[in-house]
């Protein structure tokens, strides 16, 4: 379904509530274990903004049901934006052979979103890559480097606009 945010005041402050339909508030976060301590603050920020972040360390359902089924629930729902937390560990998880369970889940998600990206003709409709403080552009997977990349927390307003499905600049009509 098409998700549209309602217009808000044109101020520089970050809004504390959003007027998105419930089905547009869900965001799925994929990350590597090296960002686990920073993820907590990031998820709190998103929750404070009115989003419903899905992340394995907070979701009891992920522990009860098969983890792959839990992840697929979000990956297959095209109304859910996917935040890709970029870090040195993320690059290592998706390109290397780290054998820990979390790394395998990260690699599985990476393969799924890469396949979707390719099937969409390399157009990015729902992936939101976010560089965390310990990451650099070279940690971004090559196939994702052609899309808009956000830096946390420096690009917080642009990131929020993306999650709200809003444009920063409105092109005037002729």
């Amino acid at each position: 379904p098409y998700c549209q945010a309602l217009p808000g005041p044109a101020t520089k402050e970050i809004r504390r509530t959003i007027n998105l339909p419930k089905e547009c508030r869900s965001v799925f976060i994929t990350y590597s274990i090296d960002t686990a301590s920073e993820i907590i603050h990031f998820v709190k920020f998103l929750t404070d903004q009115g989003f419903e972040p899905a992340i394995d360390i907070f979701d009891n359902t992920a522990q009860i049901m098969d983890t792959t089924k839990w992840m697929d629930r979000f990956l297959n729902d095209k109304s859910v934006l996917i935040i890709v937390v970029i870090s040195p560990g993320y690059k290592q998880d998706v390109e290397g052979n780290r054998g820990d369970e979390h790394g395998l889940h990260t690699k599985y998600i990476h393969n799924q979103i890469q396949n979707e990206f390719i099937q969409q003709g390399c157009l990015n409709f729902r992936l939101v890559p976010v560089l965390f403080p310990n990451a650099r552009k070279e940690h971004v997977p090559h196939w994702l480097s052609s899309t808009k990349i956000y830096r946390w927390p420096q690009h917080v307003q642009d990131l929020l606009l993306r999650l709200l499905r809003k444009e920063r600049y409105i092109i005037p009509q002729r």
Side-chain angles (χ1 to χ4, degrees):
Y2 180 72
C3 300
Q4 177 66 44
L6 299 177
T11 64
K12 288 191 171 211
E13 63 193 42
I14 297 171
R15 294 180 60 195
R16 293 289 173 217
T17 60
I18 57 175
N19 294 317
L20 278 177
K22 183 163 177 48
E23 63 270 9
C24 297
R25 293 177 187 225
S26 292
V27 291
F28 179 75
I29 302 171
T30 178
Y31 68 102
S32 286
I33 209 71
D34 66 331
T35 57
S37 62
E38 293 138 341
I39 284 290
I40 295 167
H41 302 293
F42 184 65
V43 168
K44 182 182 180 334
F45 169 77
L46 293 174
T47 303
D48 289 347
Q49 299 304 315
F51 292 99
E52 296 172 359
I55 187 164
D56 59 358
I57 58 175
F58 294 124
D59 198 328
N60 290 333
T61 314
Q63 296 164 5
I64 295 168
M65 75 170 29
D66 179 311
T67 306
T68 305
K69 284 183 186 175
W70 178 83
M71 292 183 293
D72 284 343
R73 201 174 80 201
F74 299 102
L75 295 171
N76 294 331
D77 183 347
K78 302 304 182 204
S79 69
V80 175
L81 292 178
I82 300 171
I83 297 174
V84 183
V85 174
I86 306 296
S87 67
Y90 184 82
K91 184 172 179 78
Q92 193 174 14
D93 280 345
V94 301
E95 292 179 359
N97 290 321
R98 276 193 358 196
D100 68 313
E101 188 174 359
H102 191 275
L104 292 174
H105 293 158
T106 303
K107 191 168 193 157
Y108 172 79
I109 294 165
H110 175 266
N111 290 339
Q112 296 296 98
I113 62 178
Q114 183 179 24
N115 287 337
E116 179 180 319
F117 184 78
I118 292 166
Q119 289 170 1
Q120 299 281 356
C122 298
L123 297 174
N124 181 13
F125 295 108
R126 66 184 193 129
L127 303 176
V128 183
V130 179
L131 286 171
F132 263 47
N134 59 342
R136 296 184 308 276
K137 293 238 181 186
E138 57 262 22
H139 295 124
V140 177
H142 181 70
W143 62 270
L144 197 54
S145 62
S146 64
T147 192
K148 172 78 173 140
I149 299 168
Y150 302 90
R151 182 170 286 285
W152 171 257
Q154 292 88 335
H155 299 155
V156 69
Q157 288 187 321
D158 289 337
L159 176 60
L160 278 176
L161 287 171
R162 173 65 180 106
L163 296 176
L164 290 168
R165 295 143 171 105
K166 301 284 284 179
E167 295 292 330
R168 177 181 276 284
Y169 304 105
I170 299 170
I171 300 171
Q173 294 181 354
R174 289 185 176 188

